[in-house]
């Protein structure tokens, strides 16, 4: 794996390829290809980056052909950072590196979510991408601290006909409980950039609640169909319960199901314009 302890390099300004090094040339090829897709080349000079981390810590980006223990390409979302001219920029940036399971755990402690870090990096040719050159360290800056304090404030809203929802910043969804046939049921909708999309998702929730019994009956049938598609060799369908509902801005929705007899998540998707659930082969689970 590449060294994290090199001194700053200022001689070369030519673009270079970040070169992950593992014990396997095949793994190196996978990691390098993955990195090229996300960032491209990086500047030859090392610069110091001071930044606010986002609500999600370092995360591995596995591929189906990658092994369980890594090394993986990892990424840390950033929400604010100093540019080289000393100006603070707020937005979305990403810090990349490679790490195995042990190093990833260490980096999550050194650069936790919702924190402020200082780290030596090379800048990517794609906007707001950085390649980590040294281990990050905690950093204190009053201006970044003010941004962080604003970032971690709770965001909530009372939705007419649905109830109280709180923004989960790690997923970007508003989460709340609705009264579904006399029981509290978790419901969520995305914190979309456009308020028209947010209101449309809320409208979807209100439409489902207006005919909760009808949609509940359809959901149970759709859940059984989804189970049969996921477990074609099973003769008996277990007792399913609706565990939550996700709302989309286009009249779409996803019902999630739980059961003591199945471990993997099970869901069924539908759309108000269709007036029903989709067949399992048309589900689009991202």
């Amino acid at each position: 794996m590449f060294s994290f302890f090199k001194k700053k390099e200022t001689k070369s300004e030519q673009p270079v390829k970040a070169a992950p090094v593992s014990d396997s040339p095949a793994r190196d090829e996978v990691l390098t290809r993955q990195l090229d897709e996300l960032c491209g080349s990086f500047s030859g000079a090392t610069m110091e980056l001071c930044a606010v981390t986002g609500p999600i810590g370092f995360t591995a980006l596995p591929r189906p052909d990658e092994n369980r223990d890594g090394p993986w390409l990892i990424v840390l979302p950033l929400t604010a950072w100093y540019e080289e001219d000393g100006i603070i920029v707020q937005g979305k940036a990403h810090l990349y590196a490679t790490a195995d399971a042990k190093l990833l755990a260490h980096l999550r402690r050194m650069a936790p979510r919702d924190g402020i870090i200082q780290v030596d990096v090379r800048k990517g040719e794609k906007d707001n991408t950085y390649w980590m050159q040294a281990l990050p360290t905690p950093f204190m800056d009053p201006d970044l601290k003010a941004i962080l304090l604003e970032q971690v404030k709770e965001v909530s809203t009372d939705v007419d006909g649905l109830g109280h929802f709180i923004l989960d910043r790690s997923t970007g969804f508003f989460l709340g409980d609705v009264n579904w046939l006399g029981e509290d049921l978790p419901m969520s909708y995305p914190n979309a950039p456009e308020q028209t999309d947010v209101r449309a998702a809320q409208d979807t929730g209100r439409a489902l609640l207006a005919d909760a019994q009808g949609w509940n009956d359809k959901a149970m049938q759709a859940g059984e169909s989804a189970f049969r598609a996921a477990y074609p060799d099973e003769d008996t369908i277990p007792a399913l319960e609706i565990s939550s509902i996700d709302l989309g801005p286009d009249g779409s929705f996803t019902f999630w199901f739980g059961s003591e007899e199945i471990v993997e998540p099970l869901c069924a998707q539908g759309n108000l314009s269709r007036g029903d659930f989709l067949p399992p082969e048309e589900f689009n689970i991202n």
Side-chain angles (χ1 to χ4, degrees):
M1 206 171 301
F2 69 86
S3 170
F4 281 104
F5 302 99
K6 292 181 180 179
K7 293 182 179 179
K8 292 186 180 180
E9 300 170 358
T10 56
K11 293 186 296 182
S12 173
E13 296 295 335
Q14 296 300 314
V16 298
K17 293 289 185 181
V21 178
S22 71
D23 296 332
S24 164
R27 294 283 306 120
D28 289 346
E29 183 179 349
V30 170
L31 293 171
T32 301
R33 184 172 64 251
Q34 198 174 1
L35 189 62
D36 284 346
E37 293 172 359
L38 292 166
C39 309
S41 299
F42 290 79
S43 65
T46 298
M47 58 178 281
E48 183 180 82
L49 179 69
C50 301
V52 176
T53 62
I56 304 173
F58 266 111
T59 304
L61 300 174
R63 287 270 179 95
D65 56 352
E66 294 188 77
N67 59 48
R68 286 179 172 270
D69 298 321
W72 310 286
L73 182 65
I74 63 172
V75 60
L76 176 67
L78 307 174
T79 58
W81 59 95
Y82 275 103
E83 289 284 7
E84 293 179 271
D85 57 6
I87 301 298
I88 293 178
V89 176
Q90 291 184 254
K92 292 183 179 180
H94 295 89
L95 175 63
Y96 292 94
T98 52
D100 57 17
K102 183 176 181 180
L103 180 56
L104 178 57
H106 179 68
L107 288 172
R108 284 171 172 167
R109 293 191 296 270
M110 297 294 292
R113 63 177 188 167
D114 291 329
I116 303 175
I117 61 168
Q118 177 177 295
V119 60
D120 289 344
V121 299
R122 283 176 173 167
K123 194 169 185 177
E125 64 181 7
K126 296 186 178 180
D127 288 344
N128 303 335
T129 58
Y130 300 92
W131 179 253
M132 189 166 66
Q133 291 293 107
L135 289 173
T137 57
F139 184 69
M140 178 53 67
D141 176 85
D143 294 324
L144 292 180
K145 181 68 173 180
I147 292 173
L148 177 60
L149 290 176
E150 189 66 26
Q151 173 176 298
V152 298
K153 284 183 178 179
E154 181 180 286
V155 177
S156 63
T157 183
D158 290 311
V159 181
D160 184 40
L162 295 180
H164 189 69
F165 285 74
I166 298 175
L167 178 64
D168 181 347
R169 295 184 304 106
S170 65
T171 63
F173 276 72
F174 278 95
L175 310 178
D177 289 333
V178 299
N179 185 336
W180 186 263
L181 301 179
E183 301 286 341
D184 286 340
L185 182 67
M187 181 176 280
S188 67
Y189 61 87
N191 182 28
E194 298 295 333
Q195 282 301 303
T196 53
D197 290 338
V198 172
R199 288 191 291 269
Q202 295 170 349
D203 288 341
T204 299
R206 283 187 282 263
L208 293 175
L209 279 179
D211 184 20
Q213 186 62 64
W215 283 110
N216 193 85
D217 294 341
K218 292 177 181 179
M220 298 311 298
Q221 295 175 9
E224 292 178 358
S225 296
F227 180 85
R228 282 192 290 266
Y231 302 94
D233 297 329
E234 293 291 334
D235 296 327
T236 304
I237 299 176
L240 300 176
E241 293 184 355
I242 299 172
S243 57
S244 64
I245 302 174
D246 296 340
L247 308 174
D250 54 357
S252 63
F253 49 82
T254 301
F255 279 62
W256 293 90
F257 302 90
S259 171
E260 295 181 355
E261 301 176 46
I262 58 175
V263 177
E264 295 295 325
L266 186 71
C267 74
Q269 294 182 320
N271 197 291
L272 292 178
S273 61
R274 183 187 180 98
D276 206 342
F277 285 81
L278 303 171
E281 60 269 19
E282 295 183 22
F283 292 172
N284 179 24
I285 308 299
N286 296 321

